[in-house]
Amino acid sequence: MDLYCKSSNILYARQLFDKIPKPDVVARTTFITAYSASGDLKLAREIFNTTPLRTRDNVSYNAMITGYAHNKDGYSAIDLFCEMKRYGFRPDNFSYTSMLSGLSLVAEYESHCQQFHCEVLKSGTGFVTSVVNALMSVYVKCASSPFVKADLLLAAARKLFDEMMLRDELSWTTIITGYVRNDDLCSARQVFDGMDEKLVVAWNALISGYTHKGRVKDALEMSRRMRLLEIGFDEFTYTSVLGACAAAKLLLHGKQVHGYIIRTVKNPSRDFLFSVNNALIALYWRCGKLDEARKIFDRMPMRDLVSWNTILSAYVDVGRIEEARSFFIEMPEKNELTWSVMISGFAQNGLGEEGLKLFNQMRSCNCQPCDYSFAGAIISCAVLASLDHGRQLHAQLIQSGFESSLSASNALITMYARCGVLQDSQSVFYTMSSLDSVSWNSMIAALGQHGHGAPAVDLFEQMLKEDIVPDRITFLTILSSCSHAGLVDEGQRYFNTMYELYNITPGEDHYGRLIDLLCRAGRFAEATDLIQKLPFTPGIPVWEALLGGCRIHGNIDLGIKAAEKLFELIPHHDGTYILLSNMYATLGKWTDVSRIRNMMRVRGVKKEPACSWIEVDNMVHVFLVDDTKHPEVQKVYKYLEELVPKMRKLGYVPDTKFVLHDMENEQKEYALSTHSEKLAVAFGLLNLPSGAMVRVFKNLRICGDCHNAFKFMSQVVGREIVVRDGKRFHHFKDGKFEICHVAWGVAVTDREDDKPSMLLPFSVLWFIIGILTGYVMLSLNIILRLLKS
């Protein structure tokens, strides 16, 4: 029976076992061990339970406790240990080692560690190396719990280590990996340097720790020392070193490691091939060599789920979404990560509808969404500006118990902001149990997108006070906020601190935002001087920023220069032609307008048609300029005809300079009335409930005349109107273009007759109601299940 069990022929062994009239404890223990090793704890416990109490011994109990521990069922291991003591069995060293292994899986509080530490001391096994190693493991794993002070538990583990009479390889690796897992690399290195024998596991733990903390230089230096000391590399060493090269984009160094593996590793094991090839795929992908990554993937004789997920992530990351979709369909198996990567990939590439469809497909395949899947679906709602769907997902998120997830909460901040509900973005931000740099970046970006530059700056300063280190994304968001709010001095100061204080080298995108900031303020001399001093050849972001500023201020000469550069870089991008044509039209240079439009025809460049859309009763209604296809468009035109005279009485005058065609004035006024955003807003006023806010979304910039018209329209109908164009949100209320200065829950409008009002409490109330509703529904579901059972 023992031979068959160890040869993985449990079926034959069981046939022999069933023929024994009265199997003894040795036979039973053999099967308990075999079933546990195969992961079948139910059959293992069945054998154990049918063993008479008088027949059981320590070995049978130890086998069952070990089975629970090895199969990640810590609670059952502890329960069986307590049962063992209750029935009068005296646990031995193996009993304590196995029980502590189970405890390390579930210990969350300091008291858990201390209680069983006392048990070990009272039993007299506190000097046994294997027991102390297991107890140390309990302390270091519990240190990762959010309910404890990690430094206290690590100090207790270190005290056990220092007091050990005899240390083995596991003792050293347990304490070193414990420090590494809890981000105390200095203490880990101190223990490591005190080792007489340099163990490969300890080296791997430190190299991995340095890699994960971004200390690439230290990781590579450690690997160099290993090589000099002739300590053999294994798959974990290579994986960590390749990970360090990928993190720092050290392609040449990574290729040298790749070549060394090919030369020196003979007959690699299956596990070696999987882990190293997966690391190589990630290396080439991260270093911008996707084709090389694909070659490695294609040459792999066998692939595991990590291989598929890595290549899928690579194609999603570079925006090759259709090829990523092909991988997704071809994958032999999928896990939560697979679905999450693909859903997020669709959302990040503007395919929000595909992302939501895939999220629903995931659920229909009986794969429960994790918080990352929810985050991808919520971002899909942000892409589609679908507030109703986003709120439904928010409720489902709460019901699923993921309301405290950082990734999902950060996605909610973005979703509510991009759907025009800034107050709800703030509510999510203020009620989050913990914040990371992405949370702050998302909230700063939300404020900037809604035109609240000063509050965005205040929030950035608050972020610095909270000792959150800004990253390159933070500076992109704050520079954009300063640009839209005209905060030139603040923007320049923040740009200068990037490298001076945070050692972040500004990229072309940062320079583009700074140039946009200067151009919007009309400071073209400073902008052109900055362009001449750039440490690289100016690219698309720089010239687009310059051209945009020239459009605002009518600087035609400089605008032509910027446009010519863009014609060279992106000759088929319609935006450059349209901006330059509009500048000529504003100045009445119709010959030049015709020349630019003829140039577009010759080069085959097509203008993206302007469209606006609004969600009413869970349906998205899209309007084009001079729309004739929407079934209710005639009602919309008639309603606008009724509104315009009322708006004129309040002072509205159509601004025909925004009609960029050479035609009569009356025709220009009619052309203005057919703009897509006006049609969408009018449709919302006709079909949304009385008093409801009208939220309209547009793919291109809002027209200047429409911007002015909505101010008067909001006053005539007594409704708040919000329009999101390709750049930012525009809020209109009571005849004013409203800029709310939001600072930590208090909103003060720019109108002198308005008193400050608290925005946060109502949103927080709604948020709390959502949470309570989720818990009530979850409780009712549990009660119904109990009643059925």
Side-chain angles (χ1 to χ4, degrees):
M1 284 192 299
D2 185 57
L3 175 65
Y4 279 132
C5 286
K6 288 178 179 176
S7 304
S8 299
N9 290 315
I10 302 180
L11 183 62
Y12 294 140
R14 184 61 188 259
Q15 290 174 357
L16 288 174
F17 179 82
D18 291 339
K19 291 178 181 178
I20 303 174
K22 293 181 180 180
D24 62 6
V25 69
V26 176
R28 293 176 180 275
T29 303
T30 299
F31 271 93
I32 292 170
T33 303
Y35 281 131
S36 297
S38 67
D40 196 339
L41 289 177
K42 185 178 179 181
L43 283 176
R45 187 62 190 252
E46 183 181 299
I47 296 288
F48 181 84
N49 288 341
T50 56
T51 305
L53 186 62
R54 64 180 181 277
T55 306
R56 296 178 191 173
D57 59 8
N58 276 17
V59 179
S60 58
Y61 268 102
N62 292 348
M64 195 66 238
I65 294 170
T66 301
Y68 281 128
H70 286 174
N71 286 277
K72 312 297 181 185
D73 189 352
Y75 290 111
S76 297
I78 296 168
D79 287 343
L80 191 60
F81 176 82
C82 294
E83 178 190 308
M84 178 184 184
K85 291 191 67 179
R86 189 164 56 249
Y87 287 147
F89 293 90
R90 185 174 180 179
D92 57 18
N93 301 344
F94 298 104
S95 310
Y96 281 102
T97 302
S98 300
M99 179 273 297
L100 290 170
S101 296
L103 175 64
S104 67
L105 300 170
V106 297
E108 291 186 318
Y109 295 95
E110 189 177 356
S111 58
H112 296 163
C113 305
Q114 293 172 336
Q115 288 171 3
F116 284 92
H117 191 166
C118 291
E119 173 65 24
V120 167
L121 293 176
K122 287 189 290 184
S123 69
T125 59
F127 63 90
V128 179
T129 300
S130 62
V131 176
V132 179
N133 287 342
L135 187 57
M136 274 198 300
S137 181
V138 172
Y139 274 111
V140 298
K141 288 183 179 178
C142 187
S144 302
S145 169
F147 308 113
V148 301
K149 292 184 177 179
D151 54 343
L152 294 179
L153 294 187
L154 288 174
R158 180 62 181 271
K159 188 171 184 292
L160 282 170
F161 177 80
D162 291 339
E163 293 174 352
M164 289 181 73
M165 298 173 61
L166 180 64
R167 303 186 187 109
D168 61 8
E169 180 176 336
L170 185 58
S171 311
W172 290 97
T173 54
T174 298
I175 192 67
I176 290 172
T177 55
Y179 279 128
V180 169
R181 285 175 181 167
N182 290 279
D183 294 333
D184 189 354
L185 293 178
C186 292
S187 297
R189 184 60 182 265
Q190 183 187 40
V191 175
F192 176 85
D193 289 339
M195 285 174 51
D196 294 328
E197 182 184 0
K198 301 302 183 184
L199 305 169
V200 175
V201 178
W203 284 87
N204 289 345
L206 260 182
I207 293 171
S208 175
Y210 284 136
T211 299
H212 288 144
K213 292 295 288 184
R215 294 171 58 175
V216 173
K217 184 177 179 181
D218 291 323
L220 296 179
E221 175 60 24
M222 286 286 290
S223 66
R224 190 184 69 85
R225 285 184 58 198
M226 274 187 81
R227 183 74 190 91
L228 292 174
L229 293 172
E230 297 183 349
I231 299 173
F233 286 15
D234 59 14
E235 65 263 35
F236 302 106
T237 319
Y238 285 120
T239 301
S240 296
V241 172
L242 290 169
C245 295
K249 293 183 170 55
L250 300 175
L251 178 60
L252 181 59
H253 196 99
K255 291 178 76 171
Q256 290 173 346
V257 175
H258 187 185
Y260 182 77
I261 294 170
I262 293 171
R263 290 196 314 272
T264 60
V265 179
K266 306 299 180 184
N267 301 319
S269 67
R270 184 170 179 270
D271 290 339
F272 184 97
L273 287 171
F274 277 142
S275 59
V276 172
N277 278 322
N278 293 340
L280 285 169
I281 293 170
L283 165 73
Y284 286 111
W285 150 40
R286 296 288 186 190
C287 293
K289 300 292 182 181
L290 186 58
D291 292 338
E292 294 295 324
R294 176 65 184 271
K295 286 178 183 177
I296 292 171
F297 177 81
D298 289 340
R299 290 171 185 165
M300 289 178 70
M302 294 178 292
R303 306 178 185 113
D304 60 3
L305 187 55
V306 177
S307 314
W308 284 99
N309 282 340
T310 304
I311 197 70
L312 178 70
S313 301
Y315 275 86
V316 165
D317 184 62
V318 299
R320 291 166 66 170
I321 198 69
E322 289 305 320
E323 291 164 282
R325 191 204 300 259
S326 299
F327 279 114
F328 180 81
I329 294 170
E330 187 183 349
M331 289 178 70
E333 62 173 318
K334 302 176 179 69
N335 61 2
E336 289 179 353
L337 177 62
T338 313
W339 291 93
S340 301
V341 167
M342 201 65 223
I343 293 167
S344 298
F346 281 132
Q348 290 164 10
N349 287 276
L351 301 172
E353 188 174 349
E354 295 291 329
L356 288 179
K357 284 180 180 177
L358 195 63
F359 181 77
N360 291 330
Q361 184 184 337
M362 176 185 183
R363 305 181 83 166
S364 65
C365 292
N366 294 322
C367 183
Q368 290 301 316
C370 61
D371 54 337
Y372 294 107
S373 309
F374 271 107
I378 290 167
I379 292 298
S380 296
C381 292
V383 171
L384 296 171
S386 180
L387 181 61
D388 290 341
H389 282 95
R391 281 183 167 155
Q392 290 173 14
L393 285 171
H394 191 174
Q396 293 170 17
L397 184 78
I398 293 168
Q399 290 174 343
S400 302
F402 295 129
E403 66 269 22
S404 60
S405 164
L406 259 178
S407 59
S409 297
N410 293 338
L412 284 170
I413 293 172
T414 300
M415 185 273 293
Y416 282 123
R418 293 187 66 177
C419 290
V421 195
L422 183 62
Q423 296 93 328
D424 288 346
S425 283
Q426 291 176 286
S427 297
V428 174
F429 180 78
Y430 299 141
T431 53
M432 286 172 67
S433 56
S434 61
L435 300 168
D436 62 1
S437 60
V438 179
S439 315
W440 291 92
N441 291 349
S442 300
M443 195 65 238
I444 292 169
L447 290 168
Q449 193 177 23
H450 283 262
H452 309 323
V457 169
D458 292 340
L459 193 61
F460 177 71
E461 293 292 342
Q462 181 67 31
M463 173 185 174
L464 299 180
K465 290 177 183 176
E466 297 287 337
D467 293 328
I468 305 294
V469 179
D471 55 21
R472 68 183 314 278
I473 303 298
T474 314
F475 283 103
L476 283 174
T477 58
I478 196 62
L479 286 171
S480 291
S481 300
C482 291
S483 180
H484 287 300
L487 303 174
V488 182
D489 294 336
E490 290 84 348
Q492 286 182 309
R493 177 164 56 85
Y494 290 135
F495 182 87
N496 293 333
T497 60
M498 281 184 65
Y499 187 78
E500 294 173 0
L501 297 182
Y502 303 104
N503 200 31
I504 299 174
T505 303
E508 187 174 10
D509 45 2
H510 295 99
Y511 279 103
R513 302 288 170 93
L514 180 60
I515 291 165
D516 181 65
L517 173 70
L518 294 170
C519 291
R520 282 177 179 271
R523 293 160 67 164
F524 291 105
E526 294 177 56
T528 52
D529 185 55
L530 178 62
I531 292 172
Q532 292 173 358
K533 294 179 180 177
L534 287 176
F536 50 81
T537 303
I540 297 169
V542 171
W543 297 117
E544 283 186 336
L546 183 61
L547 181 58
C550 292
R551 179 193 64 84
I552 294 171
H553 295 279
N555 191 333
I556 189 68
D557 294 332
L558 195 57
I560 292 171
K561 179 182 177 183
E564 287 174 349
K565 293 290 185 181
L566 289 169
F567 288 150
E568 296 174 8
L569 295 168
I570 42 174
H572 295 287
H573 179 58
D574 65 327
T576 308
Y577 298 90
I578 300 304
L579 278 178
L580 188 58
S581 172
N582 291 350
M583 290 172 67
Y584 281 129
T586 303
L587 297 173
K589 296 185 175 183
W590 302 112
T591 304
D592 290 314
V593 171
S594 299
R595 179 174 57 82
I596 296 298
R597 293 189 176 179
N598 184 58
M599 190 188 302
M600 290 179 67
R601 283 191 293 272
V602 171
R603 295 181 179 180
V605 179
K606 293 184 178 180
K607 178 184 180 295
E608 180 185 357
C611 68
S612 301
W613 63 95
I614 183 170
E615 187 174 359
V616 177
D617 295 332
N618 291 324
M619 281 189 63
V620 177
H621 297 264
V622 181
F623 293 88
L624 301 174
V625 177
D626 198 16
D627 202 309
T628 57
K629 294 184 178 180
H630 193 280
E632 297 185 46
V633 74
Q634 295 305 321
K635 287 173 61 179
V636 171
Y637 283 131
K638 185 177 179 181
Y639 182 64
L640 282 172
E641 288 177 6
E642 296 171 2
L643 277 181
V644 170
K646 298 176 183 178
M647 292 160 56
R648 284 180 180 273
K649 287 181 181 180
L650 296 175
Y652 168 65
V653 177
D655 195 344
T656 56
K657 75 179 181 183
F658 290 102
V659 179
L660 304 172
H661 297 276
D662 191 11
M663 58 177 65
E664 295 297 326
N665 200 58
E666 187 176 336
Q667 292 175 304
K668 287 184 177 182
E669 289 190 14
Y670 174 77
L672 289 173
S673 69
T674 64
H675 281 194
S676 64
E677 56 264 53
K678 282 195 180 79
L679 301 179
V681 168
F683 179 81
L685 292 172
L686 280 171
N687 291 278
L688 289 171
S690 178
M693 180 188 292
V694 178
R695 293 187 185 87
V696 168
F697 304 88
K698 186 180 178 182
N699 62 333
L700 304 177
R701 287 180 183 271
I702 186 173
C703 156
D705 175 73
C706 291
H707 191 284
N708 187 42
F710 292 146
K711 289 194 293 185
F712 291 97
M713 197 178 292
S714 67
Q715 187 175 2
V716 169
V717 299
R719 303 269 283 274
E720 185 174 356
I721 299 170
V722 178
V723 180
R724 188 190 89 184
D725 65 10
K727 292 290 183 181
R728 55 177 288 192
F729 280 89
H730 306 264
H731 296 254
F732 309 91
K733 187 176 181 182
D734 298 333
K736 299 287 184 181
F737 171 54
E738 195 173 59
I739 296 292
C740 297
H741 305 293
V742 186
W744 297 99
V746 181
V748 186
T749 68
D750 66 348
R751 293 168 288 161
E752 294 180 0
D753 58 333
D754 282 342
K755 294 181 180 179
S757 61
M758 294 299 293
L759 288 176
L760 181 58
F762 299 105
S763 301
V764 171
L765 180 62
W766 174 87
F767 190 72
I768 292 171
I769 289 171
I771 293 174
L772 292 175
T773 303
Y775 282 127
V776 168
M777 293 181 70
L778 189 61
S779 302
L780 288 173
N781 190 27
I782 293 170
I783 291 168
L784 287 172
R785 287 185 180 181
L786 290 173
L787 289 172
K788 285 181 181 178
S789 64

